[in-house]
Every structure is written in C-alpha cells, then in structure tokens.
Amino acid sequence: MSLRRLECGFIPLIDSAPLVIARELGFAREEGLDLQLQAQPSWSAVRDKLALGRLDAAHLLAPVPIAMSMGLGGMALALDALSVLSMNGNVVGVSSKLARRMADAGAPGDFRSAAEIGRALIRVCDKPLTVGVPFPFSMHAELLYYWLGALGLKAPQDLIVRTVPPPQMAEAIEAGTIEAFCVGEPWGSVAVARGCAELILPGAAIWNFAPEKVLAVRKGWAEREIEATSGLMRAVWRAARWLGDSANVMTAAEIMSGADYLNLSSEMIERTLQGRLLVNASGEERVTRRFIEFFDGAATFPWRSQAVWIATRLARRNGLDLEEAAAVARGCFRPDLYRTCLDSAGADMPGASEKLEGALDMRSPVASSTGEMYLGPDLFFDGRVFDPIVISV
C-alpha cells in the first residue's frame, strides 16, 4: 500500500502523546499515512515551519492559531485548529527559596487551593514577580494572567512574564532569571528532580478543563487535502481514545520515554499520566484527578467557546476589538471539520459547538449524537462563568 507522507512538528512534552501513539501503534499507517514526527527546539520553530509550509501539521499551543489569525506576534497567517490534543497537563512551580518563604507564610500545601496559594505567593514574592512560560501565546500565560490578575497582581507593573523553552525551565530557575514558572509536564518534574524548584499548583486548579494543545494546519490546507486530513484526524482520535484507557498508561509511558520523544524515565512519565506528581525534593506526592486528559469529557472536541475565551483575553491585553477577536476565534477552531472527518470513526458528537465555560461543578450528561456524552467539571478557580455570546464586559 502506498502511504501519504505527512510532516508533523511537535515539542517533546507528554501532551504530544496522541501524535506519538498514532505513529507508534500504527493508527496513522492504518489510515494510509506515513506520519513523520519532527521534534522542534521551540514553539516559535513549530509555528514558523508550519506557516512556511515546511510542516503539514503541528502539535501547537491552543492560543497560537488564534493569535496568528488575529495578526499578533509578528506573523499574520490564519491557522485552523482541527482538534484538541490535550486538556490540562501544566504545573505551576516556584524556586525552592520562594517555596520556603511561602510555607513560612502559611501557604497551604494541598496542591489545589489556587486562591490561598496565589495570595501567599503574592505576599512573599519580590515585586515584580518574574515568571517563565514556554511562549507568549500559550495557556501557560493565559492561566497565569487569569489567576494572578484575579488576585490583584497586574502585568506588567507587578508581573513580568518571560519566554523560556520547556527543557530550559530548570536552568532558568537555577540561574535566578525567573522566580516561578508555568510549564507542561514533564519539565516541572524535571526542575523538582534537580532540587531547584517546588510545584505549588496544577493548571487544572486554575481552570478545571483548559484546552492545552491542538492539532493545527494552515488555513485552507484541510479542505485542499481532505483525504489526508480525515486520515490524520481519525488516527489521532483513535490514539486519544487508546490513551484514555487507564490500562494503557504503562505502555504509553514506555513509548514516550524513548530517545526520539522525551528521552526521560518511563516512571516519571507514568506518574504524570496518572496525575501523581512529586512536588518537592523530599519526595512528597500530590494526586490530581484529570491532571491531563486526552479523551474523556469530549477532550478532543474544538469548542468554539474555548477559542472565544482565549481570543477575548488576548484582545483585552492588546487593545483589540472583542467582537472581531471572537469572530476570528470561531473561524479558527473547526468543529465543522471535526464532525465531517470523525463521523466515520464513530466519535460521539456534542449537540452544540459552543457552551458556557466554567459552569459545571460535576460530571454532567449533555446532548450528543449517541446520547452518551458527559462533560465537566470545568470550573474556574474564582467561580466565574464565561458566556461566549456576552463578551463585552
């Protein structure tokens, strides 16, 4: 059988697993694809190579296609987010020195009390607080701005956000160029293992179910290459479903630990996939349910409401029109292509493409093509609810 070769860029993170599994377990080959995964040194490299046509598709930060489609970041090129690759999966960490000061100030060590932990951080940090994130247009940055902004720490006067590639986050903490970070696993755990940082929160404590990475292509590519697009989306969806089975965690960790991917111990990766994180050098463990999610709760569906949340946050910080930003975002996340390409795979489709974000405090049934879909919980730490229709306030 002749295979269609597809070049796909990724960053060595645990949330690249749907692409890795699609290749390594043969899901892509079964769809007639020779899926070539190219590890990249930075998110800017992924973005630029996708924009220039050197990649067909990419594992990309959820806000990047939206920001680019809005003309932000110096490269105005419209991208499509075909599906979501992962929900959650980030950690917030601080230097060991700052962690001790927080503990002395009575910060809870429960790894979930976002408001109390954030207030303790603000009380003891040097002003302004310097935080590392992997890219300016990222959920890492959006979660930090949302969390600390709601608690009174405003950028740029009180909060400086610097770009640090994920594998270099530990070195930046050790060098003192940043005091804290928000990064995708396993790079927070690597910093802990090196003894220079402690983890204080999972990203899920700020927003229970935040879109983290997406499968992105250039605008128009999917329609021109609909057969390849459908095959790629089906392969990745099947990989996500496989990852959603807890019986496969050990195998997934072993695959992801390989030299072509994370090149780290399978034990560290397995703990992350199970939401069991070592938060300090003393070996204290914290467990977070749904720390990272690949499939359950419609995790792969590109909700336009989540895109609008991201776009309006970007628009406010950059002085752009909210309604125009929302319109761009709705055209960027592509539930229409998701429905077209995955119907034959048996994917359960939600009855709507937008929803209230932050409204569910428990797992709840929703209308879907099979009547078997459950969503949530998806709360924001401060109890706010985002309505994608009412965005002017």
Side-chain angles (χ1 to χ4, degrees):
M1 178 177 65
S2 177
L3 300 177
R4 167 65 190 275
R5 184 182 176 98
L6 286 182
E7 306 289 344
C8 185
F10 77 102
I11 293 290
L13 290 160
I14 285 173
D15 55 33
S16 65
L19 290 167
V20 173
I21 296 303
R23 172 178 167 78
E24 294 297 328
L25 293 192
F27 295 134
R29 180 170 289 271
E30 290 171 7
E31 296 289 347
L33 301 176
D34 177 14
L35 182 60
Q36 295 293 312
L37 300 182
Q38 299 183 13
Q40 303 297 319
S42 66
W43 288 113
S44 59
V46 179
R47 176 199 62 186
D48 295 350
K49 288 183 179 181
L50 181 62
L52 296 172
R54 295 172 61 185
L55 295 171
D56 298 307
H59 161 240
L60 206 56
L61 297 154
V64 169
I66 299 167
M68 289 182 67
S69 298
M70 290 170 61
L72 297 173
M75 184 174 285
L77 179 76
L79 299 180
D80 281 333
L82 303 179
S83 65
V84 176
L85 293 176
S86 62
M87 303 293 290
N88 303 335
N90 294 324
V91 290
V92 179
V94 297
S95 69
S96 298
K97 177 181 177 181
L98 194 52
R100 287 192 295 270
R101 292 167 60 187
M102 290 176 65
D104 291 342
D110 58 11
F111 207 53
R112 65 175 180 268
S113 301
E116 291 83 355
I117 291 170
R119 292 189 185 101
L121 173 61
I122 290 171
R123 282 198 303 270
V124 304
C125 73
D126 296 325
K127 295 289 184 70
L129 176 66
T130 304
V131 185
V133 300
F135 201 65
F137 306 114
S138 64
M139 284 307 297
H140 315 89
E142 294 309 323
L143 291 173
L144 283 173
Y145 286 131
Y146 184 88
W147 172 49
L148 295 176
L151 298 175
L153 202 64
K154 305 298 184 182
Q157 61 268 33
D158 302 320
L159 178 65
I160 297 173
V161 177
R162 290 183 175 166
T163 299
V164 181
Q168 298 175 24
M169 208 62 76
E171 288 89 338
I173 282 281
E174 288 175 335
T177 55
I178 59 173
E179 301 166 273
F181 57 75
C182 183
V183 70
E185 278 292 273
W187 299 109
S189 291
V190 168
V192 170
R194 290 177 60 153
C196 61
E198 295 190 13
L199 305 183
I200 59 173
L201 278 179
I206 300 171
W207 184 5
N208 280 177
F209 214 51
E212 178 52 34
K213 304 298 190 307
V214 295
L215 177 62
V217 297
R218 292 179 300 283
K219 177 70 72 175
W221 186 91
E223 288 85 353
R224 291 192 303 272
E225 303 283 355
I226 192 62
E227 185 175 346
T229 298
S230 296
L232 177 60
M233 292 181 69
R234 284 193 298 266
V236 171
W237 181 84
R238 291 171 63 195
R241 181 175 60 181
W242 183 89
L243 285 161
D245 186 342
S246 60
N248 296 326
V249 167
M250 184 179 297
T251 301
E254 291 173 353
I255 292 171
M256 294 297 295
S257 69
D260 290 338
Y261 303 120
L262 300 188
N263 197 27
L264 293 169
S265 76
S266 61
E267 179 186 1
M268 178 183 290
I269 297 168
E270 183 178 355
R271 283 202 309 267
T272 299
L273 290 172
Q274 294 173 334
R276 298 168 37 244
L277 299 180
L278 299 181
V279 299
N280 56 40
S282 299
E284 290 185 54
E285 182 179 279
R286 298 289 183 271
V287 179
T288 300
R289 184 175 177 273
R290 295 202 310 173
F291 171 76
I292 185 168
E293 184 60 64
F294 296 107
F295 191 73
D296 188 49
T300 62
F301 190 76
W303 293 98
R304 284 180 169 146
S305 46
Q306 293 173 353
V308 172
W309 185 89
I310 293 168
T312 53
R313 301 284 301 173
L314 291 171
R316 285 191 175 95
R317 284 204 308 280
N318 289 278
L320 303 179
D321 183 87
L322 296 181
E323 295 290 346
E324 291 179 5
V328 169
R330 289 188 173 97
C332 182
F333 272 39
R334 298 297 302 273
D336 55 330
L337 285 172
Y338 184 98
R339 296 178 190 278
T340 297
C341 295
L342 289 179
D343 182 63
S344 62
D348 194 8
M349 303 293 178
S353 294
E354 296 191 12
K355 59 186 177 69
L356 295 176
E357 298 294 337
L360 298 177
D361 62 358
M362 64 178 66
R363 184 175 166 86
S364 305
V366 297
S368 72
S369 56
T370 69
E372 298 179 354
M373 180 173 286
Y374 285 77
L375 302 181
D378 69 345
L379 300 179
F380 292 96
F381 86 98
D382 56 359
R384 295 182 189 177
V385 174
F386 177 75
D387 185 341
I389 305 302
V390 184
I391 59 174
S392 59
V393 295

